[in-house]
Amino acid sequence: MNVIACENLTKRQGKENTLHDLSFTLKDKSITGLIGRNGAGKTTLLKILAGLWRETSGEVSVFSEKPFNSMLVSANSIYIDDQMAFPTALTLSELLKEGERFYGNWNMKLAERLFEYFSFHPNQIHNTLSKGKKSTFNMIVGLASRCELTMFDEPTTGMDAAVRNDFYRALLKDYLAHPRTFLISSHHLDEIEDLLEDILLIEDGEKVLQLPMDDLKEYAVGLTGRTEIVRQWAMNKEVLYTQEIDLNSTYVVIKNGYFEVENAKRLGINVSPVSSSDVCVYLTNKKKGGIDDVFK
C-alpha cells in the first residue's frame, strides 16, 4: 500500500518552480530519506504532503486523499521542523498533554520517558529553550505521536553529536516496535543512512533517483590510475565525477555495472567503493569536477 503518491507535482513560488513535475510513491511502513542539497525543494515537498501548502499543479495524495485542509491527513500525520511554534502560555508538560488530546496513537509513557531522559523541566516554555533543546523536544513530540506518517525536516538542527545519536536510536527502536511510515529530510545522508530503507534524491525540485538504500551503497565505484588508462576504461560508461590527481593520474567515479575488476587491476587501476553520500553529491553536481576547478 502506498501512503504517498505524487504525479507531475509542481509548486510555483514567485517566478520559480520549487518543485517541477515530481512523480514518486512512498510505501507503507518504511523509513525513507528525502535527500537533497539546501534549496532542492525538500521543505516545500514536505509542507505540501503535510497539507500546509497547496500544490500549483499535478496530483498529490496522502492516505488516498488530497492533503491540503484534510482532517484525515492532519490527524494521522505530523510534520516536525526547527521552526515549530507552540503557545507560550503552555509549559512543556502541558504541551505533551495537548498532544495526547489531539493524536489518537499518542504514547504518553514514551513521551514522559524521553522527556526525563533528555533532562527537560515540566515548567519550561518552548520558546525559551536553546535551538538544540527545541529540536530535541520537537523530536519527542514527533515520536510520541506515533502518527501513521511522520515527517522530520532536518530534525537534528542544533543537537550535539550525542543527542543526534540518541535520537536516531530512539527512532529506530520505536519504529521496530511500532512500524509506521517515516520520511526524513536531510542533506547529511552519512548521518542517517543506517536508518533508511529507501532514499528519494531530489535537486532543483526534480527527482534524481529513488531506490533502496542497499542499492545506493553499490551504485558507483571509483577508479584511480594513469590518466590515459582510466579514461579509456571509463569510455562508454556513465561517469559521475572526474578529478585529476596530478599530471599523470586521474580519479573517476562511474556508475556500477558489470565490468571485469581483475582486468582493471592488471592494468594498474585501483578500484574503490564510493560512499552513498558522495554518490548523491556527484549526482547533483551542476558540473563534473569539484571546487578545485574554480581555481584553475
Side-chain angles (χ1 to χ4, degrees), residues 86 90-98 115 120-127 129 133 137 141:
F86 293 98
L90 298 179
T91 65
L92 297 185
S93 178
E94 290 169 337
L95 289 175
L96 295 183
K97 292 176 182 177
E98 290 303 310
F115 192 86
F120 286 101
H121 190 280
N123 293 327
Q124 286 179 298
I125 303 298
H126 187 267
N127 70 352
L129 299 175
K133 293 292 278 187
F137 181 80
V141 173

Side-chain angles (χ1 to χ4, degrees), residues 31-32 49 57 69-71 92 99 103 165-166 187 203 238 241 250 287:
I31 305 179
T32 299
L49 296 176
S57 63
N69 281 345
S70 166
M71 184 57 69
L92 297 185
Y103 292 106
N165 289 336
D166 281 340
H187 57 276
E203 177 65 14
E238 185 176 342
Y241 176 77
T250 296
K287 298 178 180 179

